[in-house]
């Protein structure tokens, strides 16, 4: 790597051979310590910048960024599929918690009311993708997940978050 610097070796090579004593070497190392600290911050920032440059809004890279940030592999990214989810065409009184796609007054014996099984997909626009977040992370760190997705997502897409 072009930026790899061994400061101890550099200080030793810059000292004349007559001054290469333990005390002089320690004094020169102490003088170079602030530069070494700035160099370490530079290498950390460079590593983070290179990581950001190598990841983008593609599904594999976005999933990898989320997995790296949380140290888990439970994330999944699903494209919105134009409402082609699981549709049920039977109205039952046990299904009161589901959202209806059409008005209930249209219901009669011949025209069943279509019920969308996955309510997260009911009102999504076409340019949306769904980020499925593990339950433990969804409950505690959803804002961090949103921040990571916002950093890497394409500008033309919008993310929706669901719990797995």
């Amino acid at each position: 790597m072009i930026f790899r610097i061994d400061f101890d070796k550099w200080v030793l090579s810059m000292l004349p051979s007559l001054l290469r004593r333990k005390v002089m070497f320690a004094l020169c190392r102490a003088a170079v310590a602030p530069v070494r600290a700035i160099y370490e911050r530079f290498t950390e920032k460079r590593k983070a910048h290179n990581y950001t440059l190598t990841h983008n809004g593609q599904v594999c890279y976005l999933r990898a960024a989320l997995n790296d940030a949380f140290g888990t592999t439970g994330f999944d990214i699903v494209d919105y599929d134009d409402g082609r989810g699981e549709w049920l065409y039977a109205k039952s009184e046990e299904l009161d918690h589901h959202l209806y796609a059409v008005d209930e007054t249209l219901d009669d014996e011949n025209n069943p009311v279509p019920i969308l099984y996955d309510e997260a997909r009911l009102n999504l626009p076409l340019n949306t993708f769904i980020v499925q977040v593990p339950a433990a992370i969804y409950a505690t760190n959803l804002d961090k997940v949103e921040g990571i997705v916002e950093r890497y997502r394409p500008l033309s897409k919008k993310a929706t978050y669901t719990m797995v």
Side-chain angles (χ1 to χ4, degrees), residues 9 20 45 117:
K9 189 175 181 182
R20 290 184 186 170
K45 291 285 187 179
Y117 181 70

Side-chain angles (χ1 to χ4, degrees), residues 51-78:
Y51 183 85
T52 303
L53 287 176
T54 56
H55 288 73
N56 57 24
Q58 290 180 349
V59 171
C60 59
Y61 292 122
L62 187 56
R63 188 182 306 126
L66 289 168
N67 290 337
D68 290 344
F70 293 100
T72 184
T73 58
F75 293 95
D76 197 16
I77 295 156
V78 180

Side-chain angles (χ1 to χ4, degrees), residues 91-92 95-96 98-104 113-116 122:
K91 183 176 178 182
S92 172
L95 298 175
D96 289 336
H98 289 289
L99 295 177
Y100 293 109
V102 296
D103 191 12
E104 290 184 46
V113 176
I115 302 171
L116 186 62
L122 183 60

